[in-house]
Amino acid sequence: MKKLLIISLLIVSCDNSTEPSFCIEGCIEIDGELYYQGDIDILQEFINLNVSLSVEEPLDIGFQIWTDGRLFELQLHDNHLTALPESIGNLSSLERLFLGSNQLTTLESIGNLSSLKFLYLEGNQLTTLPESIGNLNSLE
């Protein structure tokens, strides 16, 4: 008599609200938590562009809140930032961004943050805002 073995594999994406057991489409596991690799890469670009960020790991910069593997909130105030990565607009789940008390002079690519609801910029060296800031339709 042959026995039939049925194997079931649950595959969910990082955007699913349930606890994923196996993540596809660009997620990686770090210390038992799932993170979207693209968001991690953008945090690494912050480090690469700003010598003031004296950390080696992207998850160690500022204060971060992650939801379902995606970066939801990023607080980088008072970090002497001079530049934002061009890819910042790819943080498609980012809703809160705190960049106050830095040395930013421009905000290029920030207009692509389609989910952004809160943007804090006080205390920078901005002289103009990009036209693309008008694309931030979710700002409250």
Side-chain angles (χ1 to χ4, degrees):
M1 174 188 262
K2 292 184 179 180
K3 292 185 178 181
L4 180 60
L5 177 62
I6 299 175
I7 299 175
S8 176
L9 177 61
L10 174 64
I11 300 177
V12 296
S13 76
C14 290
D15 294 328
N16 193 315
S17 62
T18 62
E19 181 85 25
S21 60
F22 179 75
C23 191
I24 59 174
E25 298 183 29
C27 284
I28 60 169
E29 185 177 338
I30 300 173
D31 296 330
E33 297 291 329
L34 293 175
Y35 299 93
Y36 182 66
Q37 181 66 55
D39 292 356
I40 296 282
D41 293 343
I42 294 167
L43 292 176
Q44 182 62 52
E45 288 181 45
F46 270 98
I47 295 169
N48 296 345
L49 286 171
N50 295 280
V51 294
S52 62
L53 294 173
S54 57
V55 296
E56 294 183 20
E57 297 297 324
L59 292 175
D60 292 336
I61 66 169
F63 176 78
Q64 306 167 17
I65 296 177
W66 293 77
T67 302
D68 298 326
R70 299 303 305 260
L71 188 59
F72 172 79
E73 180 174 319
L74 180 60
Q75 294 186 22
L76 291 175
H77 46 78
D78 201 22
N79 276 284
H80 306 286
L81 301 181
T82 57
L84 300 178
E86 286 185 32
S87 61
I88 192 171
N90 295 334
L91 293 171
S92 59
S93 296
L94 190 67
E95 290 190 15
R96 300 179 189 152
L97 181 59
F98 297 80
L99 296 172
S101 300
N102 282 294
Q103 299 169 359
L104 297 171
T105 58
T106 184
L107 297 174
E108 296 306 316
S109 302
I110 205 163
N112 296 330
L113 293 169
S114 58
S115 297
L116 198 64
K117 292 182 180 179
F118 185 83
L119 177 61
Y120 182 76
L121 297 169
E122 182 181 23
N124 279 285
Q125 300 170 4
L126 300 169
T127 55
T128 61
L129 294 175
E131 283 187 35
S132 65
I133 205 157
N135 297 337
L136 299 176
N137 296 325
S138 297
L139 279 181
E140 295 177 353

